[in-house]
Amino acid sequence: AMERYLACMKKHNDAHALCRDETKAYLECRMNKGLMGKEDVGNFGLNAPIDFTASAKAEEDHVDHRGRKGEEGFVAGLGRIQGAKHREK
């Protein structure tokens, strides 16, 4: 189940909404093997309808955001340091 889930995620560029059946099977497998507590997979939102338009928009925004940071030369924590220097003045 894990291999099918990971293959699906890779095939769909981590768009989990397209791998619902694989996700359900993977979670049920983990529960059956005692790797996680037993729970209705519906509690994970896997039975709710999917708004693919919103999912695609969120994915697009996420990808664009990551790309922008790379283009701007993002350095983790630098904003906090610069903000602290600005407050000291």
Side-chain angles (χ1 to χ4, degrees):
M2 181 182 72
E3 290 87 6
R4 285 192 312 270
Y5 168 72
L6 293 174
C8 183
M9 293 292 285
K10 183 176 182 177
K11 176 181 176 184
H12 296 290
N13 295 319
D14 295 327
H16 59 85
L18 300 174
C19 299
R20 291 180 101 176
D21 292 337
E22 291 82 357
T23 302
K24 286 179 186 179
Y26 175 55
L27 291 173
E28 288 170 348
C29 177
R30 288 182 53 83
M31 286 185 255
N32 291 337
K33 293 183 184 258
L35 298 173
M36 63 184 288
K38 297 255 183 193
E39 194 164 339
D40 180 357
V41 292
N43 293 340
F44 295 105
L46 295 170
N47 294 331
I50 300 172
D51 181 349
F52 284 103
T53 304
S55 295
K57 174 74 172 117
E59 177 65 21
E60 181 181 308
D61 290 348
H62 180 67
V63 170
D64 287 349
H65 183 65
R66 287 186 297 187
R68 189 189 87 241
K69 283 184 173 185
E71 291 169 6
E72 294 174 359
F74 176 78
V75 177
L78 186 58
R80 298 193 89 187
I81 293 168
Q82 289 173 338
K85 288 180 182 177
H86 180 69
R87 287 188 296 273
E88 291 173 0
K89 292 181 182 180

